[in-house]
Amino acid sequence: MTVEKVDFSLKETSPNIGGDRVSGGEKLTSSFDLVEKMEFLFVRIVKARDLPLKAVNGIIDPYVEIKIGNYNATTKYFEKKPDFEWNQVFAFGQDRLQATTMEITVRDKELIIGDNMIGKITVALHEVPPCLPPDSPLASQWYKLEDKNGFTLRKGELMLAMWYSTQADRVFPDAWHSDSAIVSGESLLNTRSKAYLSPRLWYLRVNVIQARDLVPGSRDRNPQVYVKAVVGDVILRTRVSPDKNVNPKWNEDLMFVVAEPFFDPLIVTVEDRLENNTVRCLGKCVIRLSNVEQRLIPLPADPLWYNLEDIVFEDGMEKEVNFSSKLNMCVSLDGGYHVFDESFHIGSDYRPTAKMLWTAMIGVLEMGIINASGLQPMKLRDGRETTDAYCVAKYGPKWVKTRTVVDSFDPKWNEQYSWDVYDPYTMLTIGVFDDCHLHGGDAVGDGKDPSLGKVRIRLSTLATNKIYTYSYPLLVLQPNGAKKMGELQLAIRFTCSSYLSLFLVYTMNPLLPQMHHIYPLSIYQLDILRKQAVRILCSSLSRTEPPLRQEVVEYMLDGGSQMWSLRKAKANFQRVLAIFKCFSNARQWFDEIRKWNNSAATALVMAIYCIIVFKPDLILPTVTLYSIQVMILQWRKRPRRPTHIDVNLSVAGSVTADELDEEFDTFPSSRQFDVLRMRYDRLRSIAGRVVTVISDIATQVERFHSLLNWRDPRITLIFLVCCLVGSFMLYYLISLKVFLILGGFYVMRPPFLGKDVLNAPQNFFSRLPTKADYML
């Protein structure tokens, strides 16, 4: 049985788009020139009037039904309202229309028995006019209703508009689409395309300095006091103060991530840890974040004394009482930092929070999401496999979501979006998901939208003013290995507005704001704060309409990227080996030169070595000219494609089932004890090899220190004598240039002048003592 080889490569495509090269200047973008043109029949149902009454009670609940061939679409219902205004837009794909007429029928929901038709309008599709952007929207007009025999009714009119246009029409994002015809009710909102903005995030710094005049519960013991700060559902604590008195000191920073608008206050409490593991509150203060100082420059905030309020209970109710205890703190909103919601290496934005510190825009990024092909089935509907796919893209604070194409393994979106660019070292992320919330709010499966893959494109790898059209493989790592879920066709263009600004960004502007360099945050702090930021974004974007769900936001932001993975450890180890491979290649090349495997090459190297020794001022020009030569030779081999996920580099194709099971395991683990013990033993084995390598590195470095510390008196004495003789000879007998020439010629001497064995310095160095002798 032969296994079909899966193609994970990036493929260049030639879609039928209208984009041309842009030469810069005033016009940076061209609307919908990176996507294929899609034609739609748009029908706007506005309102009805003078409808004839058929109900017994004289009240009707009308709705409008549109029928074109096999397509049926209905407006929302009215329940006993005097005015009938829908103002809904329907979009039917022209390439799927198999009828020549359109029938628009007004029906009464209350009439269940018999014919509930109030009236209808029949329109020939060839009579519908075109109205292409940038023309103004077509005006709506009143149409007389007809009965089922085609005769005009005495009463009843329907206001509507019909026109042919493309996806560039302004009503397209909010329209009902024929490719989501099986979706109805409130679930239609989930199928629409939308743009989102992340809330502006701030770092809240609470520097707890000291407290004064605390009132502990008992004066017979030394209080163990700490400070607890709460913002929303995030709780942070200081260490217990080493001052066991009523005036404790901490001088400790507590960092939070908060989002505008500031709803949650900062609640600070001073607590005393008692002997029976209980806690007594010694005071509390509540600080509104809207009143907190916003620090934009690298200067410390002013410390302030805050009154602590005691908490007592009267009749079971909490009551705050002012008393004399105070807490000294520096509280500030640090707008000079960039709040990381993504990993540093795949960030799409590095600007500080404060807008006044932003640099000028350098260009515009445009992306056309054209289509996907060969998507894998994700669920069952009516006994058959299907997929309801949509795309989400993120760059900077702007998120976009395409419409959901229902029941298609080859969906076509042809939607175009743009972003302002402030730094080229940024990453655009596009993810494809299956919508599981399209049937009356009842989610399919576990209620989460599963991912079909992700594409990342770094802007610095794109040439300016050039359109890239490629089909990207959609890869998902599953418990049984890497799986290709389909392909996503994109068109990308990065347009630069000023090459001078682009040059200044590369040379003059730091990647991170100044606050990260003047008051740097530790890796541990950044990791904790990033988790807070991801949680805030998940909560904020899930409250939008239609929502960006938590699993989608976490997948786009790589929320679980910090978890242990043996596969990633192997991949990163191979990356390190690839870096050091150049040094091993250089050493192998020098061994061939030293052994005179190629006499002409060795003679040339010796001649160049003599020139460098006698003319050291030629070293830097030689290095720069050699670098220029290498870059010229590499120009023809330069990468011409955007970045994409490499399966081989990610070690996704050679990973074992147990390693994948460990990577997909929850935290804390949910596996059996025997499995955990096996993985722990494997991790111990890997860590043992790492410790051995670290020990070897430490041994080599300690040997240099042993030359001077008289640990081996004979070696240090020999080295002392050699230093005395060497300094005397270099000062009085031979020059440094002659010494370098003789040393170089000795190393590169022909084989007949000496055997290839360890020389005296190597023998001497290998016998130096190390601190490994002291290890237990």
Side-chain angles (χ1 to χ4, degrees):
M1 180 178 178
T2 59
V3 179
E4 183 180 356
K5 187 176 181 181
V6 181
D7 185 10
F8 295 109
S9 63
L10 188 67
K11 301 174 184 177
E12 189 170 5
T13 60
S14 299
N16 185 22
I17 61 177
D20 298 319
R21 290 182 179 271
V22 181
S23 60
E26 296 296 328
K27 189 176 186 299
L28 293 183
T29 62
S30 178
S31 178
F32 289 89
D33 63 340
L34 297 181
V35 293
E36 295 177 340
K37 182 180 178 181
M38 297 181 68
E39 295 184 348
F40 292 89
L41 168 63
F42 289 94
V43 180
R44 182 194 297 273
I45 306 297
V46 184
K47 58 184 177 180
R49 68 181 180 186
D50 296 335
L51 295 180
L53 301 179
K54 288 189 176 183
V56 178
N57 56 5
I59 300 176
I60 61 175
D61 297 332
Y63 68 96
V64 179
E65 179 186 71
I66 304 173
K67 184 176 182 180
I68 307 177
N70 294 327
Y71 287 115
N72 280 347
T74 59
T75 64
K76 56 191 175 182
Y77 301 108
F78 287 114
E79 293 186 0
K80 302 174 177 59
K81 289 187 177 180
D83 55 337
F84 312 126
E85 184 171 348
W86 295 276
N87 199 23
Q88 287 184 251
V89 180
F90 301 84
F92 299 88
Q94 189 174 354
D95 58 339
R96 297 186 180 182
L97 296 181
Q98 299 178 355
T100 58
T101 60
M102 172 175 58
E103 192 172 278
I104 304 174
T105 307
V106 182
R107 298 184 182 275
D108 186 5
K109 182 184 176 184
E110 291 295 323
L111 293 178
I112 302 176
I113 302 175
D115 187 9
N116 65 348
M117 186 184 79
I118 298 176
K120 69 175 183 177
I121 299 171
T122 303
V123 181
L125 296 183
H126 68 272
E127 295 181 357
V128 177
C131 184
L132 300 177
D135 292 348
S136 299
L138 196 65
S140 304
Q141 56 183 326
W142 291 102
Y143 288 83
K144 291 281 188 179
L145 295 180
E146 302 172 350
D147 60 14
K148 59 183 178 180
N149 296 320
F151 295 102
T152 303
L153 299 176
R154 293 183 179 180
K155 297 176 62 178
E157 290 181 301
L158 182 65
M159 177 180 280
L160 57 88
M162 300 167 288
W163 70 97
Y164 285 110
S165 187
T166 66
Q167 71 268 37
D169 199 292
R170 66 182 63 181
V171 303
F172 179 78
D174 295 325
W176 174 96
H177 295 280
S178 57
D179 51 16
S180 59
I182 65 174
V183 183
S184 60
E186 297 181 356
S187 299
L188 273 174
L189 198 60
N190 292 328
T191 65
R192 294 175 179 171
S193 58
K194 288 293 180 181
Y196 308 81
L197 280 179
S198 300
R200 189 152 61 135
L201 303 179
W202 293 75
Y203 282 153
L204 173 64
R205 184 189 297 269
V206 182
N207 178 237
V208 183
I209 302 174
Q210 60 180 334
R212 188 174 66 189
D213 300 332
L214 297 179
V215 183
S218 174
R219 299 186 181 275
D220 299 333
R221 53 178 293 274
N222 294 325
Q224 298 185 10
V225 183
Y226 64 91
V227 175
K228 181 178 73 174
V230 180
V231 177
D233 58 349
V234 180
I235 302 175
L236 299 179
R237 295 176 176 86
T238 66
R239 68 185 189 280
V240 176
S241 174
D243 302 321
K244 309 296 183 180
N245 51 45
V246 297
N247 298 311
K249 296 180 180 179
W250 293 275
N251 197 21
E252 187 174 342
D253 281 344
L254 302 177
M255 298 284 291
F256 297 87
V257 176
V258 294
E260 291 185 352
F262 304 123
F263 293 118
D264 298 319
L266 169 65
I267 303 175
V268 182
T269 58
V270 181
E271 298 181 349
D272 183 13
R273 183 178 299 168
L274 304 178
E275 296 177 352
N276 54 355
N277 291 329
T278 59
V279 173
R280 183 179 185 274
C281 179
L282 303 182
K284 181 181 77 170
C285 65
V286 179
I287 303 173
R288 301 294 175 184
L289 297 185
S290 56
N291 301 328
V292 173
E293 175 188 359
Q294 295 183 358
R295 186 171 65 145
L296 308 183
I297 57 178
L299 294 177
D302 296 330
L304 298 175
W305 286 97
Y306 294 88
N307 293 324
L308 296 177
E309 298 173 339
D310 194 11
I311 300 176
V312 297
F313 292 89
E314 292 184 1
D315 299 330
M317 300 295 292
E318 183 178 303
K319 183 179 180 181
E320 296 179 352
V321 180
N322 293 328
F323 66 115
S324 59
S325 297
K326 294 182 179 295
L327 182 63
N328 190 216
M329 296 186 296
C330 297
V331 183
S332 63
L333 290 166
D334 291 350
Y337 288 100
H338 169 71
V339 180
F340 286 96
D341 55 358
E342 303 163 296
S343 177
F344 173 79
H345 300 289
I346 59 172
S348 60
D349 189 16
Y350 297 99
R351 291 173 294 170
T353 299
K355 288 186 176 181
M356 62 182 64
L357 301 179
W358 291 1
T359 57
M361 185 183 74
I362 63 171
V364 174
L365 171 65
E366 299 168 273
M367 178 186 64
I369 304 177
I370 301 175
N371 59 41
S373 60
L375 296 183
Q376 296 295 314
M378 300 300 294
K379 57 178 175 286
L380 292 175
R381 180 184 297 129
D382 299 330
R384 59 185 181 86
E385 297 178 329
T386 184
T387 297
D388 307 323
Y390 66 93
C391 292
V392 175
K394 180 190 185 298
Y395 182 80
K398 180 180 177 181
W399 302 63
V400 296
K401 174 184 175 294
T402 66
R403 71 186 190 281
T404 300
V405 178
V406 179
D407 197 14
S408 176
F409 299 129
D410 302 296
K412 293 183 179 180
W413 293 286
N414 285 300
E415 299 183 21
Q416 183 168 337
Y417 303 94
S418 64
W419 292 267
D420 295 336
V421 179
Y422 293 84
D423 196 293
Y425 186 75
T426 45
M427 190 81 76
L428 170 66
T429 304
I430 309 102
V432 183
F433 301 88
D434 176 55
D435 200 330
C436 295
H437 300 78
L438 297 183
H439 297 280
D442 295 331
V444 179
D446 60 356
K448 296 182 178 180
D449 291 352
S451 63
L452 283 86
K454 184 191 302 183
V455 175
R456 289 199 189 102
I457 302 173
R458 188 170 294 280
L459 267 63
S460 58
T461 62
L462 303 178
T464 55
N465 307 326
K466 177 182 177 181
I467 297 177
Y468 292 84
T469 55
Y470 286 90
S471 182
Y472 295 82
L474 296 173
L475 307 178
V476 171
L477 190 65
Q478 297 180 345
N480 56 353
K483 184 177 181 180
K484 183 177 179 180
M485 306 297 290
E487 294 186 356
L488 178 65
Q489 187 176 3
L490 302 174
I492 306 290
R493 176 173 59 200
F494 172 41
T495 308
C496 181
S497 58
S498 172
Y499 287 100
L500 177 60
S501 300
L502 187 62
F503 173 77
L504 293 177
V505 167
Y506 272 105
T507 56
M508 304 299 294
N509 295 343
L511 181 62
L512 294 177
Q514 291 185 359
M515 289 285 282
H516 285 275
H517 303 280
I518 299 176
Y519 296 108
L521 301 174
S522 66
I523 297 178
Y524 175 76
Q525 282 181 305
L526 290 175
D527 183 56
I528 296 297
L529 293 172
R530 180 175 171 245
K531 291 179 181 178
Q532 294 185 32
V534 171
R535 188 161 56 248
I536 290 175
L537 291 184
C538 289
S539 174
S540 175
L541 295 175
S542 64
R543 294 196 301 267
T544 56
E545 203 62 50
L548 273 182
R549 306 187 186 279
Q550 177 179 347
E551 63 273 13
V552 174
V553 177
E554 288 182 346
Y555 181 75
M556 296 291 291
L557 297 177
D558 270 353
S561 60
Q562 71 278 3
M563 298 299 293
W564 160 255
S565 169
L566 186 58
R567 176 188 60 85
K568 293 181 181 179
K570 289 181 178 179
N572 291 325
F573 182 70
Q574 291 182 4
R575 292 171 59 193
V576 173
L577 291 182
I579 293 174
F580 285 101
K581 186 178 180 181
C582 61
F583 296 102
S584 63
N585 292 340
R587 180 177 179 179
Q588 183 179 359
W589 170 83
F590 184 72
D591 285 340
E592 294 178 355
I593 294 296
R594 188 170 57 88
K595 294 176 181 179
W596 287 73
N597 293 343
N598 188 335
S599 302
T602 303
L604 179 61
V605 170
M606 295 177 70
I608 295 175
Y609 179 74
C610 293
I611 295 174
I612 291 176
V613 170
F614 286 106
K615 289 288 186 179
D617 52 333
L618 296 178
I619 295 177
L620 288 179
T622 302
V623 172
T624 54
L625 289 175
Y626 178 73
S627 301
I628 292 173
Q629 177 189 358
V630 171
M631 287 185 286
I632 292 175
L633 294 176
Q634 291 293 327
W635 168 254
R636 298 181 61 183
K637 302 178 183 179
R638 69 191 185 277
R640 301 176 186 270
R641 296 184 172 188
T643 55
H644 71 289
I645 297 176
D646 190 335
V647 176
N648 295 326
L649 182 63
S650 304
V651 198
S654 59
V655 65
T656 64
D658 181 68
E659 293 171 355
L660 285 173
D661 182 72
E662 181 182 14
E663 185 168 348
F664 281 92
D665 192 8
T666 58
F667 187 86
S669 177
S670 59
R671 299 298 183 262
Q672 298 295 326
F673 173 76
D674 293 340
V675 177
L676 295 180
R677 183 173 60 181
M678 182 271 294
R679 291 174 181 172
Y680 177 67
D681 291 339
R682 181 176 60 194
L683 186 60
R684 288 176 62 191
S685 176
I686 297 173
R689 291 195 292 269
V690 173
V691 169
T692 301
V693 174
I694 296 175
S695 175
D696 293 340
I697 296 174
T699 297
Q700 301 300 325
V701 175
E702 289 170 355
R703 282 174 174 166
F704 285 100
H705 293 278
S706 299
L707 288 172
L708 307 175
N709 62 10
W710 295 89
R711 181 66 272 179
D712 187 337
R714 287 169 294 276
I715 282 185
T716 306
L717 181 60
I718 294 173
F719 184 65
L720 176 61
V721 173
C722 291
C723 289
L724 288 173
V725 174
S727 59
F728 177 79
M729 293 179 62
L730 290 174
Y731 188 79
Y732 290 104
L733 299 181
I734 60 175
S735 65
L736 178 62
K737 294 180 180 179
V738 175
F739 174 77
L740 293 176
I741 291 294
L742 293 177
F745 277 35
Y746 175 76
V747 173
M748 293 182 287
R749 67 191 184 279
F752 63 86
L753 294 181
K755 296 181 179 180
D756 188 18
V757 294
L758 294 177
N759 51 35
Q762 290 175 311
N763 294 328
F764 183 78
F765 184 78
S766 62
R767 289 180 169 84
L768 290 170
T770 66
K771 292 184 179 180
D773 305 335
Y774 298 87
M775 297 294 292
L776 181 62

